[in-house]
Amino acid sequence: MSRDLRVGLIGVNGRGKLADHAHKPDEGVRLTAGADPEQAFLDEFREKFQADFITTDYRELVARDDLDAVFICSPDDCHEEHAVAALEAGKAVYLEKPMAITTEGCDRILQAAHDHQAKLYLGHNMRHMPFVLKMRELIQRGYIGEVKAGWCRHFVGWGGDFYFKDWHADRSKSTGLLLQKGAHDIDVLHWLCGGFTRRVAAMGGLTVYGAIDDRDPHPAPAKRDWKMEHWPPLSLKGLNPIVDVEDLSMMLMELDNGVFCSYQQCHYTPDYWRNYTIIGAEGRIENFGNGEDGTVVRLWDRRCGYKPEADAEFHTPAASHGGHGGADPAIVDEFIRFLRGQTRATTSPVAARYSVAAGCAATACLRDGSLGMTVPPVPDDVARYFEGQTV
Ligand SMILES: NC(=O)c1ccc[n+]([C@@H]2O[C@H](COP(=O)([O-])OP(=O)(O)OC[C@H]3O[C@@H](n4cnc5c(N)ncnc54)[C@H](O)[C@@H]3O)[C@@H](O)[C@H]2O)c1
């Protein structure tokens, strides 16, 4: 593809700002069309990019012949409908995580890409975070031997303000936060540990925010209300009218390669960050820091007692410009090169589907007695279509 790329965006505000990184007229890429139910967001989008076309009906956008690709940054419960429509129209798609809010929804998206031979790229930007890449490099270079276990603790410090004041708190719109937030971490655990979850067990509950009666009956579109002084969590006001998702969840996973993983998520910690440790037969690694300046990965590979300084420490590059420690511009740049056929993808639609499948199975499990559940596989012919597209 050598002519200019014309790109559309569904969901122009909130996470839709990610697509700003794609708009590089000097390099032959222009954001030319936007769809969103909110006219004010559309007007702002048109002015910012001098867009040719805006609409409150996404179907008008995907029907256009002059678009090469569509970013889908709408809320989670729209992903299935928006992605299937765009893929059926033959558009290349950048789809935000989680791929969809059900496993069946993900499978419909994979099938549509397969049937229409359309390019599908998943927005799992954590695969572009320097500390995650460093952990993967250390594993691949054999620093900890054969991987046996992966653990992730996710301290969602601004959970109350970010995820309990709008649609995220309503399970009919998100399935649950174990999936909504955990899709990132399950994908990273799968990537670092080299397999996909086949069996899960989980426990969790709504342990703090359910006690807050102060609700906002009509949350503003894309409500964001994070403030340092909103502390302690029980002092929060203006929660979504429906709050029926867990604020504390814990899941166990058995991967198809015999690795065992765990993931813990809490939405009322004072601090916000993620801590991974990967244990191999000859050592373990762990990250300290969330991608900001000073983030390190430590390696223990000799017998010792408590040794916080570890046996070796690896600094990851300082955060560059752009969101999520530079991962956002990096992933959009890779998507554009993927579109042009210049690179394979670091993220994977099949892997994204397995992260949703594990998150959905775990959510069902914790809501229904915590007995173990199996994760259904992707059909072979669909999986084969995506082979060779991911690095
Ligand atoms: N990869 C990441 O790091 C990351 C970070 C934040 C959000 N996300 C994902 O991005 C998506 C959007 O999240 P958000 O917090 O920006 O949500 P949001 O509620 O702010 O909505 C985003 C945009 O979509 C629009 N929208 C709402 N309903 C729509 C519809 N039916 N059709 C088209 N547009 C619609 C909103 O008006 C808004 O402009 C979610 O899937 C979320 O998981 C990913």
Side-chain angles (χ1 to χ4, degrees), residues 10-16 18 35-38 41 56 58 72-79 82 94 96-98 123-126 129 163 166-168 180-181 184 221-224 324 328:
I10 302 177
V12 301
N13 200 46
R15 183 58 177 167
L18 172 83
D36 200 290
E38 298 298 323
F41 296 158
T56 52
Y58 82 91
I72 298 175
C73 298
S74 46
D76 302 4
D77 64 325
C78 303
H79 289 184
H82 292 172
Y94 180 105
E96 258 307 339
K97 55 55 61 182
H124 277 280
N125 50 346
M126 285 197 69
M129 288 185 177
Y163 305 114
D166 69 2
W167 56 265
H168 293 83
Q180 211 298 317
K181 295 297 291 168
H184 275 303
K223 184 172 175 180
R224 296 284 181 279
H324 297 100
D328 287 353

Side-chain angles (χ1 to χ4, degrees), residues 49-240:
F49 298 107
Q50 301 299 303
D52 301 335
F53 181 75
I54 53 173
T55 176
T56 52
D57 183 348
Y58 82 91
R59 288 169 298 191
E60 292 181 354
L61 184 146
V62 298
R64 288 183 72 89
D65 291 333
D66 64 349
L67 294 178
D68 301 292
V70 179
F71 277 77
I72 298 175
C73 298
S74 46
D76 302 4
D77 64 325
C78 303
H79 289 184
E80 177 184 347
E81 181 179 329
H82 292 172
V84 168
L87 293 163
E88 285 181 350
K91 305 285 184 282
V93 166
Y94 180 105
L95 177 58
E96 258 307 339
K97 55 55 61 182
M99 191 173 184
I101 60 170
T102 63
T103 307
E104 297 73 22
C106 294
D107 287 340
R108 276 193 68 217
I109 295 170
L110 291 179
Q111 193 72 49
H114 167 269
D115 292 350
H116 295 270
Q117 300 286 293
K119 284 194 167 181
L120 173 61
Y121 185 104
L122 263 293
H124 277 280
N125 50 346
M126 285 197 69
R127 290 193 182 206
H128 289 267
M129 288 185 177
F131 83 84
V132 174
L133 289 164
K134 175 57 73 179
M135 294 181 96
R136 185 163 150 89
E137 177 198 327
L138 296 175
I139 292 165
Q140 290 189 325
R141 290 170 70 179
Y143 279 72
I144 59 171
E146 190 180 346
V147 172
K148 295 292 179 189
W151 303 342
C152 174
R153 296 181 300 161
H154 190 182
F155 309 105
V156 194
W158 47 71
D161 282 330
F162 264 54
Y163 305 114
F164 285 84
K165 294 184 175 176
D166 69 2
W167 56 265
H168 293 83
D170 177 348
R171 66 170 73 171
S172 73
K173 304 229 172 350
S174 66
T175 292
L177 294 170
L178 176 54
L179 167 64
Q180 211 298 317
K181 295 297 291 168
H184 275 303
D185 304 285
I186 300 167
D187 179 61
V188 169
L189 286 169
H190 284 167
W191 201 42
L192 295 181
C193 297
F196 293 133
T197 297
R198 286 289 184 255
R199 207 156 61 91
V200 298
M203 285 190 185
L206 180 59
T207 57
V208 167
Y209 295 115
I212 298 178
D213 292 331
D214 192 296
R215 304 291 172 95
D216 177 352
H218 305 291
K223 184 172 175 180
R224 296 284 181 279
D225 190 26
W226 184 84
K227 287 197 182 66
M228 264 313 186
E229 12 345 320
H230 289 178
W231 186 258
L234 278 173
S235 71
L236 264 54
K237 298 190 185 328
L239 266 51
N240 197 56

